[in-house]
């Protein structure tokens, strides 16, 4: 069937095609200027579904990595502090062996006792180490100073709570080493480290070489062993954190990639499309300008 | 024997017919750009012939033609196409308004993006993680409250924008009643004029064009069916009731009903419900009462689940001073129950130490905060999906619907365009065609004029050449 065509219809067709060209051109321009392929859910509902998931997951993983950073600082400080206490105790042990030597004069022992007293002070200071403004050996009582030297013995003001923190989806880890398990109830005599050191000083002051050679030495050895175990525990946790962090770094990168795949434009392809659409728009304009004005009126 | 001046009569009929034809061409050309106009054509018929008497026949030797007559002016329309066009305009306005509303609805959610509700809710859980890391820090408590308020703003904004769209639709539905009433009374008025002209045996072409256009406009608003009545008058049905019958129109009226006090439409004469099945009004009512209402309900499922779960875990915890919050002003983290009234418990905003991060230990205990952060992984909505999963499927469902409606609109638009071309091929004005007709009738007019002159010369010859006989 041959279709009768009216001038109005022709203008309408041209206008419709021009509008279509123009709106698809403006769409690709909007994509290019925003860098996003998906500007609203209906542009790609499936990609939107994925994008929301990956954005939230990426933020959550970011938070876990932030947690891990905080925990690394805490555990790192615990590790180095425990190592310092071990070193201090080894100094004390040297002095015990030196003081047990029968050739030493009593006044020399008294001098050694002063040194040991100082070492006790610095051990207490180490046990009261703070990470920022939080005591790391207080259990959950992080704003209470855990160790006080009162009337010749130590008082522990913390508790024995393990502070669990999340390091991933459904994965958590204790951040702290409680002061009571690291420093208290050690060896056959169930004594604490600070009192053991105090006993060393007292034995030196009172010339009790027998005491120095016997029970004290084994208590010190138990304390060192206990601290090394604690430091080992902390170190192992620190290593697990590092592993977890690298897993999370991979996950974060994957999320970033997937998020970009779901919503960002492929720049090269979009540029090419924009070129093509511009050309077809210009062609439509040119053709319209040639066809629309022509009527029989031009020739009669 | 015909009259001496009979030739002049024929020429005069030809002049008259050609001039009428040229006038109709002029009317066509003048309306070439009027989309509602149907081209018109003069129907030319020969005038009745006279018997020419002869010597041996009383009936006549032959029939002598007496010229031409412009009998009527026809309107070139195909009623089948007119009906198709009307139905399709109804579908198109339905799809068009639905598509526009869905676009607004999906825009409300600002997804995918950083400012979307999904990201804000995610950051809310993150700030509980942050609090569990540093429960004794006032900074992490403050940032939890700040992020909670940001999430609340995003939720409230989303809900309020959905309500705004509903309100605008309701306003529009109420206004449309007046538009429909104006259209139906104008159609009834045209029916009367058309009936009068048609009863006299004339063609009210232009009035019929105008009436078709008004019915099309009515059809964009609601579903109509047309019944042809006598004398070219039409009866217009909506459902089973006539909104226009011959010269009478029945008004519609709006009334308010339901929990939101929204406007609905009914017949004004007997207050019976009107059966609206398609068209713009139908789409607006569906969007307002079903689609947006559902989206709001889903949003409130998210909000109320978060409020209930967070409060129920929070109430089991201890504040920074080690006191259980249950039974105190600090018991609940949120107050309110939906997106309109959700807020952070003002007692907690006033005293950040009241936030129950601890589950029983000292200030460094963040177990309760950790338990609240874990809610994000629990199926708290209807016992079957997490907040994030539920939200994601809500947004993508709206996206899928908006995309489907956009496709639907394009399909209907293409069909309407094709039907429009069809209608135009019957009823549209082609200027070239009109030019050719114009030249044709111009020549016919010139030839008829020449005939007048020829007859005149013939008569002059007769009168001048027969001498002075009869002169006084």
């Amino acid at each position: 069937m041959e279709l009768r065509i009216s001038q109005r219809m022709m203008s309408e067709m041209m206008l419709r095609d021009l509008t279509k060209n123009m709106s698809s051109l403006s769409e690709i321009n909007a994509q290019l200027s925003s860098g996003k392929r998906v500007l609203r859910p209906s542009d790609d509902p499936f990609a939107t579904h994925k994008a929301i998931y990956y954005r939230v997951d990426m933020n959550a993983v970011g938070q876990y990595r932030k947690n891990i950073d905080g925990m690394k600082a805490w555990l790192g400080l615990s590790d180095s502090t425990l190592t310092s206490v071990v070193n201090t105790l080894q100094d004390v042990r040297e002095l015990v062996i030196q003081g047990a030597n029968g050739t030493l004069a009593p006044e020399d022992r008294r001098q050694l006792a002063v040194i040991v007293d100082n070492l006790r002070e610095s051990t207490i200071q180490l046990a009261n180490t703070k990470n920022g403004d939080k005591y790391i050996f207080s259990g959950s009582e992080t704003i209470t100073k855990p160790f006080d030297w009162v009337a010749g013995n130590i008082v522990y003001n913390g508790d024995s709570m393990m502070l669990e923190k999340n390091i991933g989806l459904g994965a958590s880890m204790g951040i702290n080493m409680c002061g009571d398990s690291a420093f208290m109830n050690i060896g056959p005599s169930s004594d604490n480290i600070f009192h053991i050191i105090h006993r060393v000083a007292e034995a030196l002051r009172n010339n009790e070489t027998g005491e120095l050679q016997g029970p004290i030495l084994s208590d010190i050895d138990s304390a060192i062993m206990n601290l090394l175990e604690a430091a080992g525990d902390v170190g192992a946790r620190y290593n697990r954190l590092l592993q977890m962090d690298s897993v999370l770094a991979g996950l974060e990168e994957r999320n970033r990639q997937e998020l970009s795949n779901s919503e960002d434009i492929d720049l090269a392809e979009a540029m090419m499309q924009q070129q093509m659409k511009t050309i077809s728009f210009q062609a439509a304009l040119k053709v319209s300008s040639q066809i629309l004005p022509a009527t029989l009126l031009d020739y009669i | 024997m015909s009259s001496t001046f009979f030739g002049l009569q024929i020429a005069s009929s030809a002049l008259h017919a050609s001039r009428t034809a040229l006038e109709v061409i002029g009317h066509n050309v003048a309306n070439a750009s009027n989309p509602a106009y149907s081209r018109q054509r003069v129907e030319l018929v020969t005038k009745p012939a006279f018997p020419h008497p002869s010597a041996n026949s009383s009936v006549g030797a032959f029939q002598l033609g007496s010229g031409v007559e412009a009998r009527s002016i026809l309107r070139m329309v195909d009623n089948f196409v007119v009906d198709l066009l009307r139905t399709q305009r109804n579908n198109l306005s339905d799809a068009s308004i639905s598509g526009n509303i869905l676009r607004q609805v999906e825009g409300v959610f600002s997804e995918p993006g950083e400012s979307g509700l999904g990201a804000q809710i995610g950051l809310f859980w993150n700030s509980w993680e942050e609090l569990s890391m540093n429960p004794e820090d006032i900074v992490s408590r403050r940032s939890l409250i700040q992020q909670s308020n940001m999430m609340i703003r995003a939720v409230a904004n989303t809900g309020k924008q959905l309500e705004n769209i509903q309100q605008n639709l309701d306003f529009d539905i109420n206004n449309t009643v007046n538009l429909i009433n104006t259209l139906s009374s104008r159609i009834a008025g045209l029916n009367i004029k058309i009936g009068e002209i048609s009863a006299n045996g004339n063609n009210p072409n232009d009035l019929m064009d105008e009436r078709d256009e008004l019915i099309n406009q009515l059809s964009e608003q609601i579903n109509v069916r047309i019944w042809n009545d006598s004398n070219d008058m039409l009866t217009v049905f909506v459902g089973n009731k006539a909104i226009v019958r011959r010269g009478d129109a029945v008004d519609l009226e709006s009334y308010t009903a339901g929990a939101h006090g929204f406007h609905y439409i009914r017949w004004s004469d007997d207050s019976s419900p009107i059966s609206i099945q398609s068209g713009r009004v139908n789409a607006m009512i569906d969007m307002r009462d079903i689609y947006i209402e559902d989206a709001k309900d889903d949003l409130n499922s998210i909000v109320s689940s978060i409020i209930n779960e967070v409060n129920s875990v929070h109430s089991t915890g201890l504040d920074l001073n080690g006191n259980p919050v249950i039974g105190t002003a600090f018991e609940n983290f949120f107050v309110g129950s939906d997106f309109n009234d959700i807020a952070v418990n003002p007692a907690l905003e006033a005293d950040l130490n009241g936030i129950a991060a601890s589950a029983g230990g000292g200030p460094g205990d963040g177990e309760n905060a950790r338990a609240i952060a874990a809610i994000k992984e629990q199926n708290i909505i209807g016992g079957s999906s997490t907040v994030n999963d539920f939200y994601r499927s809500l947004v993508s469902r709206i996206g899928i619907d908006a995309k489907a409606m956009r496709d639907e609109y394009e399909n209907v638009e293409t069909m309407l365009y094709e039907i429009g071309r069809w209608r135009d091929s019957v009823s549209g004005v082609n200027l070239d065609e009109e030019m050719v007709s114009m030249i044709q009738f111009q020549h016919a007019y010139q030839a008829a004029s020449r005939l007048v002159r020829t007859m005149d010369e013939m008569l002059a010859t007769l009168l001048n050449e027969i001498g002075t006989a009869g002169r006084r």
Side-chain angles (χ1 to χ4, degrees), chain A residues 220-240:
Chain A
I220 289 178
D221 285 343
S222 301
I224 291 175
M225 192 54 74
N226 193 57
L227 285 168
L228 285 176
E229 267 171 30
D233 180 9
V234 167
R237 282 191 258 163
Y238 191 88
N239 282 338
R240 205 181 132 214

Side-chain angles (χ1 to χ4, degrees), chain A residues 27-186:
Chain A
E27 202 171 304
I28 193 94
N29 281 341
Q31 287 183 8
L32 274 171
S33 60
S34 67
K36 300 276 177 223
R37 184 176 63 83
V38 184
L39 295 171
R40 56 180 63 79
S42 60
D43 289 343
D44 190 339
F46 182 64
T48 306
H49 196 250
K50 285 209 311 188
I52 297 175
Y53 173 80
Y54 285 118
R55 174 167 286 112
V56 169
D57 204 43
M58 194 174 75
N59 287 342
V61 169
Q63 179 64 42
Y64 291 136
R65 294 195 70 192
K66 207 174 147 195
N67 287 3
I68 286 176
D69 275 350
M71 293 167 78
K72 268 157 68 180
W74 188 293
L75 285 170
L77 186 60
S78 305
D79 189 43
S80 62
T81 309
L82 289 171
T83 310
S84 302
V85 176
V86 168
N87 290 339
T88 314
L89 278 182
Q90 259 152 3
D91 289 350
V92 173
R93 195 178 188 279
E94 295 282 318
L95 295 172
V96 168
I97 290 166
Q98 208 180 326
N101 189 339
T103 61
L104 219 59
E107 48 271 28
D108 292 337
R109 289 207 180 86
R110 272 199 293 280
Q111 278 190 350
L112 291 181
V114 174
I115 299 173
V116 171
D117 278 340
N118 281 329
L119 288 175
R120 191 198 70 227
E121 282 300 323
S122 59
T123 310
I124 294 174
Q125 267 178 23
L126 284 170
N128 285 332
T129 297
K130 286 161 100 177
N131 179 28
D133 50 5
K134 294 171 215 166
Y135 293 100
I136 59 176
F137 296 118
S138 277
S140 72
E141 300 290 344
T142 48
I143 49 181
T144 308
K145 192 167 157 195
F147 293 102
D148 272 329
W149 186 253
V150 183
N153 205 343
I154 206 78
V155 179
Y156 179 56
N157 302 312
D159 58 22
S160 42
M161 185 173 177
M162 182 66 95
L163 303 176
E164 290 278 328
K165 311 289 178 190
N166 287 341
I167 53 171
L169 204 52
S172 66
M173 185 193 278
I175 194 176
N176 61 329
M177 172 58 63
C178 291
D180 56 352
S181 71
F183 304 115
M184 311 284 279
N185 302 323
I186 285 155

Side-chain angles (χ1 to χ4, degrees), chain B residues 142-407:
Chain B
R142 188 170 293 127
S143 80
L144 167 67
I145 298 289
Q146 274 166 359
Q147 180 53 45
S148 303
N149 281 327
M150 276 175 73
M151 178 189 76
I152 288 168
R153 263 200 299 280
V155 163
N157 230 343
T158 307
K160 294 225 167 69
Q161 286 185 56
L162 289 176
E163 280 184 343
N164 280 346
I165 299 173
Q166 269 184 322
Q167 294 294 342
N168 290 343
L169 281 170
D170 186 54
F171 184 75
D172 218 348
I173 289 167
N174 191 23
N175 267 346
T176 306
V177 173
N178 292 332
L179 175 64
I180 291 174
N181 288 343
T182 311
L183 286 171
S184 60
S185 67
R186 282 177 68 193
I187 292 167
L190 282 167
N191 255 349
I192 294 176
K193 286 190 203 159
I194 288 169
E196 282 168 1
I197 296 170
S198 183
N200 289 332
N202 285 325
N203 295 337
N205 293 334
D206 296 331
L207 295 177
M208 285 163 90
D209 278 350
E210 191 183 343
R211 187 180 58 185
D212 275 355
E213 177 56 23
L214 290 177
I215 294 175
N216 279 343
Q217 285 178 19
L218 184 63
S219 169
E220 285 178 357
Q221 303 297 333
I222 43 176
N223 41 294
V224 296
R225 278 182 305 121
I226 305 301
W227 177 258
N228 286 310
D229 223 319
S230 58
N231 288 335
D232 287 329
M233 292 202 271
L234 293 178
T235 300
V236 183
F237 288 97
V238 177
N240 288 322
K241 186 164 168 157
I243 190 167
V244 177
R245 172 169 274 129
R246 302 175 74 88
D248 299 316
V250 180
D251 271 353
L252 303 182
E253 65 179 15
S254 66
Y255 65 102
T256 54
H260 299 298
F262 285 149
H263 289 88
Y264 295 89
I265 299 176
R266 65 186 173 199
W267 297 101
S268 69
D269 54 352
D270 56 5
S271 299
S272 61
I274 185 165
S275 156
I276 300 177
Q277 256 113 36
S278 58
R280 188 165 161 270
V281 175
N282 181 58
M284 290 197 297
I285 292 178
D286 273 1
M287 279 288 147
R288 182 191 67 182
D289 292 357
I290 300 171
Y291 202 90
I292 299 180
E293 199 60 24
D294 283 356
K296 272 167 59 186
D297 284 350
D298 284 351
L299 187 63
N300 270 336
S301 296
I302 293 173
V303 173
S304 63
S305 302
I306 292 177
I307 293 175
N308 291 338
E309 291 302 314
V310 170
N311 281 353
S312 113
V313 178
H314 186 263
S315 66
T316 64
L318 272 59
D319 66 16
L320 190 58
N321 302 320
N323 303 315
V325 294
I326 193 149
T328 71
F330 302 145
E331 177 171 342
N332 288 327
F333 184 77
F334 288 116
V335 294
S337 59
D338 58 25
F339 63 72
N340 273 316
D341 58 5
I342 180 177
V344 171
N345 181 356
L348 292 177
E349 291 216 50
D351 185 357
L352 299 170
N353 290 344
I355 300 169
S358 152
D365 174 13
E367 280 303 303
N368 208 40
R370 211 157 69 88
I372 292 175
I375 294 174
K376 71 175 166 195
E377 292 306 319
Q378 295 163 7
N379 292 334
I380 62 167
I381 299 187
S384 57
S385 54
T386 65
V387 168
N388 188 252
D389 284 348
F390 188 80
Y391 174 75
R392 286 199 297 149
S393 38
L394 167 64
V395 172
S396 56
R397 189 186 76 216
I398 293 170
I400 288 169
D401 291 342
K403 185 173 158 59
M405 196 46 78
R406 207 157 65 200
D407 294 347

Side-chain angles (χ1 to χ4, degrees), chain A residues 290 293-300, chain B residues 432 439:
Chain A
Q290 285 173 349
T295 69
L296 193 57
L297 283 168
D298 302 331
Y299 304 97
I300 57 175
Chain B
D432 296 340
I439 291 166

